[in-house]
Amino acid sequence: MTKVLIATEKPFAAAATDGIRKIFAEAGFESVFLENYTDPNELLKAVTDADAMIIRSDKATRAVIEAAPKLKIIVRAGAGFDNIDLVACTEKGIVAMNTPGQNSNAVAELTFGLLVFMARANFKGGSGTELKGKKLGIHANGNVGRNVARIARGFGMEVYAFDPFVTKETIEKDGIIAADSIEQLYSTCQYISLNIPATEKTKKSINFDLLSKMPKGATVINTARKEVIDEVGLKQFFEARPDFKYVSDILPDNHSELMQFENRYFSTPKKQGAETSEANINAGLAAASQIVKFITTGDKTFQVNK
Ligand code: 3PG
């Protein structure tokens, strides 16, 4: 019998786990849940006889992959797959997939929760600013970015985007103004929403020089990955620009140092973007269906290690 391990250090909502169980039961697969684990060794043990695995931000390292001789497929229930060792997967003939778009509305809605919190003086009673008429730069224009743009238009914001992988024509079809370069995006927009993946190219790419281009009242909202920020440059920029604000749902490594910038810096303690039952259901059920399809028909749609 095909055995699927659902390893979620941050578990899915109950409605999602019920749905995942049902999909696998109907396919005649066994499903085993490893939830809320704190020691990576628990994952190493649990994966030994798994044929397939669903994860969220859980780390599918080379050690995990090597501990799983029967593993044929790993599906990251979510967008970013920087937590999977793709080279090790390919070497072992394991298919790695993500579930693009399934949790992007949840992340985009949280972006606005964080944005309003910062614009309204952290809900401490002081006078804030409105978003209507302000310029928002989307960096970059993928599934989350496009949802951020949709909501921004409801707020009456002027929306810009830069994405090296999407043509200007495609960006502009959504009523978004396409910036010519990253530098132009940052120098035009008071608000920047980070929606880029963590890759070798993007890691530490949001640095002091790029932030310095932002106009007065600069606010960066990071619901992407902490790795894309040059944290030393971020702290230096806070010191250089008393108008600068940074808000995130991913705790930076230098969080305790940034705490001194009271009212200008805020991070949720745990990653929150995809923490809605809708996103859990969308991504969790998509992951389960993708596994059933792959095992029963060989369908490799959404494979990311090609
Ligand atoms: C993603 O890449 O899909 C998001 O960052 C959500 O991650 P999570 O499933 O760990 O909340």
Side-chain angles (χ1 to χ4, degrees):
M1 188 191 260
T2 300
K3 182 170 174 177
V4 187
L5 173 69
I6 299 96
T8 47
E9 168 265 316
K10 194 173 60 177
F12 291 120
T17 52
D18 290 349
I20 292 169
R21 258 192 209 96
K22 194 163 171 262
I23 289 173
F24 289 134
E26 280 170 7
F29 294 4
E30 183 191 355
S31 52
V32 175
F33 286 77
L34 174 69
E35 295 178 320
N36 290 309
Y37 66 96
T38 48
D39 181 352
N41 286 320
E42 291 182 65
L43 178 55
L44 288 181
K45 253 198 220 155
V47 81
T48 49
D49 57 350
D51 297 286
M53 177 164 74
I54 295 179
I55 53 171
R56 292 185 65 181
S57 287
D58 309 75
K59 292 194 170 40
T61 58
R62 179 173 285 276
V64 170
I65 287 154
E66 286 179 350
K70 293 172 70 188
L71 202 62
K72 295 162 195 68
I73 178 167
I74 300 176
V75 181
R76 195 286 191 232
F81 44 87
D82 46 312
N83 51 326
I84 305 178
D85 187 329
L86 295 182
V87 174
C89 282
T90 306
E91 274 174 28
K92 298 277 172 196
I94 296 169
V95 169
M97 293 184 185
N98 66 347
T99 63
Q102 300 291 349
N103 59 17
S104 49
N105 180 63
V107 179
E109 287 190 11
L110 184 77
T111 301
F112 277 84
L114 296 172
L115 218 165
V116 171
F117 176 72
M118 290 317 263
R120 289 302 182 94
N122 304 172
F123 300 157
K124 285 183 179 166
S127 181
T129 53
E130 296 179 24
L131 299 177
K132 188 176 172 190
K134 305 290 185 335
K135 294 183 170 73
L136 171 72
I138 313 265
H139 183 194
N141 203 47
N143 289 312
V144 178
R146 285 204 305 278
N147 274 290
V148 171
R150 172 180 53 79
I151 300 170
R153 282 199 297 274
F155 274 85
M157 299 184 88
E158 215 177 293
V159 188
Y160 292 73
F162 177 75
D163 193 320
F165 302 105
V166 182
T167 64
K168 274 188 153 200
E169 292 69 33
T170 305
I171 290 176
E172 290 181 346
K173 259 188 217 144
D174 284 339
I176 301 167
I177 304 162
D180 290 326
S181 62
I182 297 185
E183 289 73 19
Q184 193 194 36
L185 187 79
Y186 280 69
S187 58
T188 305
C189 300
Q190 173 187 352
Y191 292 97
I192 292 284
S193 172
L194 293 179
N195 306 116
I196 47 176
T199 65
E200 284 323 305
K201 239 188 157 166
T202 63
K203 281 181 189 165
K204 291 192 196 295
S205 65
I206 312 304
N207 54 27
F208 187 92
D209 283 352
L210 187 60
L211 293 172
S212 301
K213 305 207 178 307
M214 291 184 72
K216 203 170 172 338
T219 301
V220 171
I221 309 104
N222 183 7
T223 56
R225 289 289 182 271
K226 69 175 180 193
E227 289 82 2
V228 302
I229 298 279
D230 171 3
E231 292 184 349
V232 175
L234 178 70
K235 182 169 175 252
Q236 284 167 351
F237 194 62
F238 263 112
E239 281 157 355
R241 284 274 299 265
D243 61 302
F244 174 65
K245 295 179 182 174
Y246 176 81
V247 62
S248 180
D249 76 324
I250 319 118
L251 208 61
D253 290 335
N254 61 349
H255 166 74
S256 55
E257 290 176 37
L258 298 179
M259 291 280 281
Q260 66 181 289
F261 304 110
E262 222 193 329
N263 302 334
R264 296 200 284 133
Y265 163 73
F266 176 79
S267 176
T268 59
K270 266 205 158 189
K271 194 150 79 144
Q272 289 268 199
E275 282 303 275
T276 66
S277 53
E278 291 90 341
N280 287 177
I281 291 168
N282 293 344
L285 271 51
S289 302
Q290 286 171 215
I291 287 177
V292 172
K293 252 186 156 179
F294 171 74
I295 300 280
T296 56
T297 72
D299 187 304
K300 292 184 188 168
T301 311
F302 306 120
Q303 181 175 6
V304 292
N305 60 333
K306 290 188 256 201

